[in-house]
Amino acid sequence: MTGFDGRRYLLGQAERYDWVDLWPRVMAARLQLIEALADVSEEQARWKPPAGLMEGDEDGWSILQVARHVVGWSDYAIANIEAAAAGQPGPASLPPRPLPDGATLAEVRRALTEVSMRIASITERLPATPSEVASIEHERFGALPPRAWFAFVRLHDLDHVGQVNGIKAAEGYPS
C-alpha cells in the first residue's frame, strides 16, 4: 500500500478501540484466514507460485508455508501482548518453530486453530488493568503497546489472507 503508515494505523486502532471492541475485529480477520485454508488440498498447500508473485515475496511461499508462519508468529504476538499488558519486557525474537518441517496441512490447520483459541481468550489472561503505556518493540513498526499488538494480529492476518488468495488465483495453481 503506497503511503500506508502501519505504525500510525496500529496506534490509532489501539486508541480508538478498547479490548472488547477490538476483539471481534481481530477474530473476524483470523476466521477469514482459517476459512481461506478450509478448501485447500495437501497438493495445493505445497504448491509454490513463481517467485515475486506477491509484493515482497521473492521466495514464492506456498500456502502451507504461510500457514506455518502464522502459527509461529501468533505465539510471538501472544507473548508480546501478554508481556506488555503486564508491564514486562517482551521476547526479542520469534519462538522456536512449533511444528516439524514435514507437518501436513491437517497438522498445521489444527495448530492454527489451537493458537487461534489462545488469541481468542487472551483478554482472560491479561491483568485486571492491563498496562497502556508499556510497549514492546516491533522491527518495522517500532514500540507498540499491548492493544496495538492485538490490532497488529488483525493486520497481519489480513495480509496473509490476501497472500493465500493470491496464491490460489495464480496461474498454475492446482485444481
Side-chain angles (χ1 to χ4, degrees), residues 9-18 21-22 25 147:
Y9 172 79
L10 294 171
L11 293 174
Q13 292 290 292
E15 287 178 17
R16 182 175 182 184
Y17 299 106
D18 66 14
D21 292 331
L22 194 54
R25 298 172 58 80
R147 272 202 320 254

Side-chain angles (χ1 to χ4, degrees), residues 71-83:
V71 170
W73 182 88
S74 294
D75 282 330
Y76 172 70
I78 290 168
N80 283 325
I81 293 164
E82 290 176 348

Side-chain angles (χ1 to χ4, degrees), residues 85-110:
Q88 302 168 349
S93 60
L94 288 171
R97 291 182 172 222
L99 296 162
D101 286 338
T104 65
L105 180 60
E107 292 167 331
V108 174
R109 277 188 192 132
R110 180 161 182 93

Side-chain angles (χ1 to χ4, degrees), residues 41-98:
S41 71
E42 190 71 30
E43 176 190 9
Q44 291 167 328
R46 293 182 182 281
W47 180 80
K48 286 187 176 189
L53 172 73
M54 306 294 292
E55 182 181 336
D57 182 19
E58 291 79 28
D59 297 339
W61 277 21
S62 68
I63 290 173
L64 186 59
Q65 287 173 305
V66 171
R68 284 176 58 99
H69 161 74
V70 173
V71 170
W73 182 88
S74 294
D75 282 330
Y76 172 70
I78 290 168
N80 283 325
I81 293 164
E82 290 176 348
Q88 302 168 349
S93 60
L94 288 171
R97 291 182 172 222

Side-chain angles (χ1 to χ4, degrees), residues 16-38:
R16 182 175 182 184
Y17 299 106
D18 66 14
W19 289 98
V20 172
D21 292 331
L22 194 54
W23 188 92
R25 298 172 58 80
V26 172
M27 295 318 304
R30 179 52 60 108
L31 290 173
Q32 284 180 42
L33 180 60
I34 290 170
E35 182 63 28
L37 301 174

